[in-house]
Amino acid sequence: MAAPAESIASLWSRLHRLPAGTWLFSRALGFMVPYTGTIGAHVRELSPGHARVTLRDRRKVRQHLGSVHAVALVNLGEVTSGLAMQMALPSGVRGIVTRLSAEYFKKARGTLTAESRVTVPEVTGPVEHTVEARITDAGGAEVCVVRAEWRLDVRG
């Protein structure tokens, strides 16, 4: 069985250049990770250690105050940071998120963009590593930062 990063990378390389390929990849990712798929995020860029994902502002992801729900923002940040990390993990290293946190700066409205860049530390045994995803609105204002704490280890 292929490691998650290998499956994701393979699917991305087959689809992203096709017309509507990034949309197809995003739907497939939502099928592979059902809860992540609930927000309908769109993966725009994906490479080792980098992910850029957008989220359209629509009723499905809003709360009663008329802005994007805090949990939808955490979901967006988690999938973005997770994709960047999975694509960066060297062969023989596995990881799992052990903690998530979010810091909110303003109401999230309009199309949102989450971006994450990861450099994986040397892993010779269990190590903790924090990955950030910064979420901005269409005007470039930062609305939220999601931090995912990863426990990395050598595959056993």
Side-chain angles (χ1 to χ4, degrees):
M1 182 174 174
E6 293 168 3
S7 298
I8 291 167
S10 175
L11 188 61
W12 178 259
S13 69
R14 287 194 318 253
L15 294 178
H16 82 279
R17 288 188 187 96
L18 299 174
T22 61
W23 181 87
L24 286 169
F25 174 85
S26 301
R27 298 297 71 76
L29 180 65
F31 182 76
M32 293 183 331
V33 189
Y35 184 75
T36 294
T38 63
I39 62 169
H42 189 145
V43 180
R44 302 296 181 157
E45 294 178 21
L46 188 58
S47 60
H50 177 248
R52 188 172 63 84
V53 181
T54 59
L55 178 66
R56 285 186 312 111
D57 182 350
R58 59 201 188 286
R59 182 168 168 39
K60 180 178 179 177
V61 296
R62 283 185 162 229
Q63 34 76 325
H64 66 289
L65 300 174
S67 58
V68 176
H69 196 285
V71 176
L73 293 172
V74 170
N75 193 333
L76 176 63
E78 192 273 338
V79 71
T80 304
S81 63
L83 284 168
M85 175 58 97
Q86 288 293 330
M87 294 294 290
L89 285 178
S91 179
V93 174
R94 65 181 173 184
I96 188 166
V97 173
T98 59
R99 182 178 302 127
L100 278 174
S101 65
E103 191 174 358
Y104 305 97
F105 304 111
K106 64 179 281 194
K107 287 184 179 181
R109 292 193 171 120
T111 299
L112 304 173
T113 300
E115 191 157 10
S116 183
R117 294 188 185 277
V118 178
T119 302
V120 178
E122 183 176 347
V123 180
T124 57
V127 64
E128 302 292 319
H129 187 64
T130 302
V131 179
E132 287 186 348
R134 298 192 169 275
I135 303 172
T136 56
D137 62 19
E142 193 167 70
V143 297
C144 181
V145 174
V146 175
R147 292 177 185 86
E149 183 76 25
W150 283 75
R151 182 170 187 84
L152 305 175
D153 203 355
V154 178
R155 290 180 196 258

